Amino acid sequence: MFYVVNVDGTFRRWNSHLSTVTGYDDDELDTMAAVELFPPDEKRQIAGAIEETFETGRATIEAELLTADDERIPYEFTGARLTDPDGETVGLVGVGRDISRQKANERQLERQNERLEEFAEVVSHDLQNPMSVAKGRLELARADCDSQDLDQIGDALDRMQRLIEDMLWLSSEGQDIGATEPVDFRATVDAAWRLVADAHEDAELIVDGEGAGEWSHVLADEDRLRQVLENLFRNAIDHAGPAVTVRVHKTDRGFAIADDGPGIPPEERHRVFDVGYSTSTNGTGFGLQIVEQVVEAHGWDVHVIDGPAGGARFEITGVEVLNPS
């Protein structure tokens, strides 16, 4: 809707959409002040926004428009000061935008976040306890006998633990990162690889260009950067197998991690970052979602393409690389 308001707060001009939405005809609007189109609890802030527009030249406010039928509709109003040729304020000109869908989406998101927080609480308390009991019993069973069945139980418990940790991170951390600082990228790669590949002796890591002094520091949250690397390394092992070769490349705009596994079909690449999506029986379906969230929180971008060895290649771009002093 479009409108012009006089300095005394009454309407001077308006378009037909204002009449259509509010239910007041032109004759009625001609005798009304702008604040009369709002419920009593909104009138003070509307009057304040009008005064702010006159004083500063511009103001934007969200408020509920009250129709002739007492229906409340959320709107965003933006006004600009209107002056005459001598620079004297003669009113304001403004537009109103219906934000009902936006507000509905916000309410839905709030409800989802509340449910997610409740779910995280259940995961952190109600599932961790029986997990701890199961792990303890497993160790006792291993002391009594040697069976491959026990190893499979251990693998299943490890995967459940990863699921719990990933879900807790997604629900509690989201896209938040800490302060960024210069981080030794090569050392962070090594730390992430040791953690992920410790139980996979046949997995191999190759860091290209490490002998040419190409690797330096990057501006990042160190813990979150290591989390990205860990999840990408784990994704390679889960999908390419325990004997996978993972190669880390330095690029002009950041870095890339590629493996020699089966790769990801082009038609599936848009889904790999979706929560719960995984083509591996060992994957949790949360790792790449975490990667995407941490990357975006840094202001970086992540893309997946074919790797040089036929596997998957994840490219992280927009990374600020700091040259050694």
Side-chain angles (χ1 to χ4, degrees), residues 227-244:
Q227 190 176 26
V228 167
L229 295 168
E230 289 173 4
N231 279 286
L232 289 175
F233 291 156
R234 186 175 289 117
N235 180 76
I237 292 174
D238 285 344
H239 292 81
V244 64

Side-chain angles (χ1 to χ4, degrees), residues 88-290:
E88 293 294 324
T89 299
V90 295
L92 67 83
V93 59
V95 292
R97 180 173 66 91
D98 188 336
I99 56 173
S100 299
R101 180 175 297 180
Q102 174 185 324
K103 290 299 180 181
N105 290 338
E106 290 175 358
R107 289 192 294 271
Q108 181 180 5
L109 183 59
E110 289 176 0
R111 290 193 294 270
Q112 289 176 341
N113 288 338
E114 290 173 359
R115 289 195 295 268
L116 189 58
E117 290 175 1
E118 293 172 357
F119 175 69
E121 185 175 352
V122 171
V123 169
S124 61
H125 295 92
D126 295 358
L127 292 184
Q128 288 284 15
N129 290 336
M131 279 284 295
S132 298
V133 172
K135 288 181 178 180
R137 294 291 183 177
L138 177 62
E139 292 305 313
L140 291 175
R142 279 175 168 161
D144 292 336
C145 66
D146 183 14
S147 170
Q148 291 185 348
D149 292 336
L150 297 181
D151 291 336
Q152 292 178 2
I153 294 173
D155 291 342
L157 289 174
D158 288 342
R159 182 169 182 269
M160 290 172 66
Q161 185 64 45
R162 282 172 53 193
L163 274 167
I164 292 172
E165 292 171 355
D166 286 350
M167 287 187 289
L168 284 175
W169 186 89
L170 284 170
S171 63
S172 61
E173 300 293 338
Q175 294 191 354
D176 293 335
I177 61 171
T180 58
E181 58 185 358
V183 176
D184 188 327
F185 185 78
R186 184 67 175 88
T188 308
V189 167
D190 288 339
W193 180 256
R194 284 195 300 270
L195 181 64
V196 174
D198 183 58
H200 304 280
E201 297 180 356
D202 295 331
E204 181 183 6
L205 174 68
I206 299 175
V207 181
D208 287 346
E210 58 182 333
E214 293 183 0
W215 294 98
S216 184
H217 290 69
V218 298
L219 194 63
D221 177 333
E222 183 174 3
D223 291 337
R224 295 293 177 248
L225 174 60
R226 187 167 63 181
Q227 190 176 26
V228 167
L229 295 168
E230 289 173 4
N231 279 286
L232 289 175
F233 291 156
R234 186 175 289 117
N235 180 76
I237 292 174
D238 285 344
H239 292 81
V244 64
T245 296
V246 178
R247 190 180 296 270
V248 181
H249 309 260
K250 181 178 180 294
T251 68
D252 293 337
R253 297 184 295 166
F255 62 92
I257 295 176
D259 61 60
D260 58 355
I264 302 172
E267 64 273 11
E268 294 293 321
R269 290 174 189 165
H270 69 285
R271 299 181 55 201
V272 297
F273 297 106
D274 292 346
V275 172
Y277 177 81
S278 179
T279 59
S280 169
T281 56
N282 297 320
T284 66
F286 294 99
L288 293 182
Q289 167 65 200
I290 291 175

Side-chain angles (χ1 to χ4, degrees), residues 71-90:
E71 179 186 0
R72 298 173 69 128
I73 307 174
Y75 259 78
E76 179 188 75
F77 299 94
T78 300
R81 183 171 52 205
L82 203 59
T83 59
D84 63 16
D86 296 326
E88 293 294 324
T89 299
V90 295

Side-chain angles (χ1 to χ4, degrees), residues 3-78:
Y3 49 88
V4 178
V5 175
N6 295 309
V7 290
D8 64 358
T10 59
F11 286 108
R12 176 185 296 187
R13 297 283 188 275
W14 58 89
N15 66 353
S16 60
H17 193 63
L18 181 63
S19 301
T20 301
V21 172
T22 62
Y24 293 105
D25 60 32
D26 291 342
D27 290 338
E28 291 173 306
L29 290 171
D30 192 42
T31 63
M32 296 174 67
V35 294
E36 293 182 67
L37 293 182
F38 299 89
D41 56 315
E42 301 270 20
K43 288 183 178 181
R44 177 173 294 182
Q45 66 167 337
I46 293 298
I50 293 175
E51 187 64 28
E52 180 184 352
T53 306
F54 290 149
E55 292 179 357
T56 67
R58 180 175 293 271
T60 298
I61 189 172
E62 291 184 5
E64 291 186 324
L65 195 68
L66 185 65
T67 71
D69 296 328
D70 290 331
E71 179 186 0
R72 298 173 69 128
I73 307 174
Y75 259 78
E76 179 188 75
F77 299 94
T78 300

